[in-house]
Amino acid sequence: DPLSTITPDNSTAGCSPATFDFDVSMEAHDSYYLVEWNFGDGETAQGESAQHTYTNAGTYNVSINIMTMHGCHFSKNYPNRIKVFETPNAEIDFDYNICLGTEQVLTSEVTGSSIWHEWDFGDGTIVLGHNNATSHQYEQAGRYTITHIASLHDNGVAVCSDTATYIDAVNVENIVTATFSLDSLSYNCYPVCP
């Protein structure tokens, strides 16, 4: 087979947008005249080497057509050569100002059993799991930096992740306790009778 090798030489994966470098080597003793790549997503390129960016998640077949200087034509399809995963978005919703003793709730729109969440509340508390929401109660007033990492797992391995960090974004305020007393005699107040 004169088209014995292309690079990548086996199935490979990336996170969208994913860029791959492609190269071809021919075992036949002939020079290339024309090399055409079909990347399986409707895009093509020419040349012995090509670079292509996949913007959508999916599994793609790669094919190549070669014409040599002596007019020989070779074509080969490489099924399922490229797998592109959707990169999760780590942005979250939360309250920027809360009172001490109130639970802070963090919520992510990224859901699914293949998504792993790591929540860092900025006070040493880290929560891990598949839940797209978690809560925490701060023990001290102050400003806290929170971080959320959302990772997509494929067969138990993290393949794509995104991190969102909000620096000093949460302001935990002390609860103000007001006390007062009223001495009606010192203000010359008289009782009100019905």
Side-chain angles (χ1 to χ4, degrees):
D1 183 352
L3 286 180
S4 61
T5 332
I6 70 163
T7 304
D9 59 359
N10 54 28
S11 295
T12 189
C15 304
S16 66
T19 300
F20 298 94
D21 292 317
F22 296 88
D23 292 296
V24 63
S25 61
M26 247 173 84
E27 290 182 1
H29 300 292
D30 204 347
S31 298
Y32 304 121
Y33 173 69
L34 179 65
V35 178
E36 294 179 331
W37 297 89
N38 184 326
F39 300 111
D41 63 350
E43 298 293 324
T44 60
Q46 292 185 355
E48 292 177 41
S49 297
Q51 187 177 77
H52 182 63
T53 300
Y54 292 88
T55 56
N56 298 315
T59 302
Y60 298 95
N61 302 328
V62 176
S63 62
I64 190 167
N65 294 307
I66 293 180
M67 186 169 71
T68 68
M69 293 294 285
H70 295 99
C72 297
H73 292 269
F74 302 101
S75 296
K76 190 163 185 179
N77 184 45
Y78 300 88
N80 305 318
R81 182 55 54 112
I82 302 293
K83 186 170 186 179
V84 179
F85 295 97
E86 187 70 39
T87 301
N89 183 345
E91 291 181 9
I92 58 176
D93 294 321
F94 60 94
D95 291 324
Y96 286 86
N97 294 295
I98 61 171
C99 294
L100 191 63
T102 303
E103 283 201 343
Q104 172 63 277
V105 177
L106 306 181
T107 306
S108 168
E109 293 183 10
V110 179
T111 62
S113 60
S114 62
I115 302 295
W116 183 257
H117 298 273
E118 181 176 326
W119 311 90
D120 185 339
F121 287 89
D123 64 348
T125 303
I126 296 175
V127 177
L128 306 172
H130 290 287
N131 293 333
N132 71 317
T134 189
S135 62
H136 174 62
Q137 193 169 10
Y138 289 96
E139 295 182 8
Q140 294 182 10
R143 290 199 161 274
Y144 294 93
T145 296
I146 56 175
T147 301
H148 174 235
I149 301 172
S151 302
L152 174 69
H153 286 235
D154 183 49
N155 295 321
V157 176
V159 291
C160 300
S161 67
D162 186 36
T163 301
T165 300
Y166 302 86
I167 298 171
D168 291 338
V170 177
N171 182 31
V172 180
E173 297 178 3
N174 274 317
I175 298 174
V176 177
T177 305
T179 59
F180 62 92
S181 63
L182 180 62
D183 183 356
S184 63
L185 297 178
S186 65
Y187 294 101
N188 295 324
C189 294
Y190 299 99
V192 177
C193 297

